[in-house]
Amino acid sequence: MNTTTRASQDGPTRHKRLAIYLNDHLAGATAGVELAARAAQEHRGSPFGEALENLRKEISQDRQALVRLLGDLDVPVRRYKVYGAWLGEKAGRAKPNGRLVRRSGLALLVELEALRLGALGKEVLWRGLLAASAQDARLDADRLEELLRRAERQINTLDALHSRAATALLYPAQPKEPPSTAEAGTGSSA
């Protein structure tokens, strides 16, 4: 194949790869929005509630930014991927957790870990698109930089929440027991 033929096919191939890549991230973002909404709702009023609600808002905004980006790049949204991710997040709620009806105490840890994985995925998405922005004027480098920094902040927030939750759930503070009579009372003077 000569270079002219390769160059003419490269554009459609590149666009197809970009469409697959961005739609895969949109599917992940859809699942992330659903998970963040559920976590924020479940932990409303808890010590984690406000931070989870803030994360929910940001994750939803990030998904909307990605939808706008698909439009800017003339990439059609693959609805079957979006619906599949939405359904997958709902099905993930049915996993066995040692309880028949209620959520297990470990649900918060698992949710925070899943949200962190999503934030890591966003971080590398924005980083990759930022690198490509030098080649494609449709990619707004300033906006991508802003989205990248927000993903990094989300990762830091999720790490802090996870540390707090792990400590509280896996190693809760034990009340100090008063010393036993044998230990406290009968000190001998030698």
Side-chain angles (χ1 to χ4, degrees):
M1 173 174 11
N2 67 34
T3 57
T4 306
T5 305
R6 184 179 307 133
S8 67
Q9 292 177 345
D10 192 38
T13 301
R14 185 180 318 122
H15 190 75
K16 183 177 179 180
R17 282 190 304 242
L18 182 64
I20 292 167
Y21 181 67
L22 293 177
N23 272 285
D24 286 351
H25 274 278
L26 181 59
T30 299
V33 166
E34 292 299 313
L35 177 58
R38 178 170 49 119
Q41 176 65 35
E42 288 289 331
H43 300 286
R44 181 172 284 139
S46 81
F48 301 95
E50 184 177 344
L52 287 169
E53 177 59 23
N54 291 337
L55 283 167
R56 182 202 62 77
K57 289 176 185 174
E58 288 184 0
I59 291 167
S60 182
Q61 292 167 357
D62 292 343
R63 185 185 179 283
Q64 288 305 314
L66 182 55
V67 168
R68 282 191 300 278
L69 182 65
L70 266 77
D72 293 346
L73 297 173
D74 296 320
V75 171
V77 171
R78 301 292 181 218
R79 302 243 179 256
Y80 69 91
K81 287 187 178 191
V82 172
Y83 294 135
W86 181 87
L87 186 59
E89 193 282 328
K90 302 297 184 223
R93 297 177 185 193
K95 71 171 183 45
N97 65 6
R99 307 271 175 99
L100 286 177
V101 180
R102 297 185 347 234
R103 293 166 40 96
S104 84
L106 296 175
L108 177 59
L109 282 178
V110 173
E111 290 165 349
L112 292 171
E113 291 166 4
L115 288 170
R116 188 179 192 282
L117 288 172
L120 283 170
K122 278 191 301 196
E123 179 191 27
V124 295
L125 167 68
W126 303 137
R127 191 177 305 282
L129 292 174
L130 182 60
S133 68
Q135 304 298 318
D136 192 334
R138 298 172 300 172
L139 295 170
D140 181 348
D142 292 335
R143 179 66 176 140
L144 291 167
E145 184 73 35
E146 178 184 321
L147 290 165
L148 173 60
R149 296 297 158 242
R150 182 159 64 186
E152 291 169 343
R153 284 192 311 271
Q154 289 170 359
I155 291 166
N156 291 334
T157 298
L158 287 160
D159 285 345
L161 290 173
H162 188 272
S163 292
R164 285 177 40 210
T167 301
L169 294 170
L170 301 176
Y171 297 99
Q174 299 295 322
K176 294 190 178 192
E177 295 181 26
S180 67
T181 310
E183 295 171 354
T186 60
S188 63
S189 49

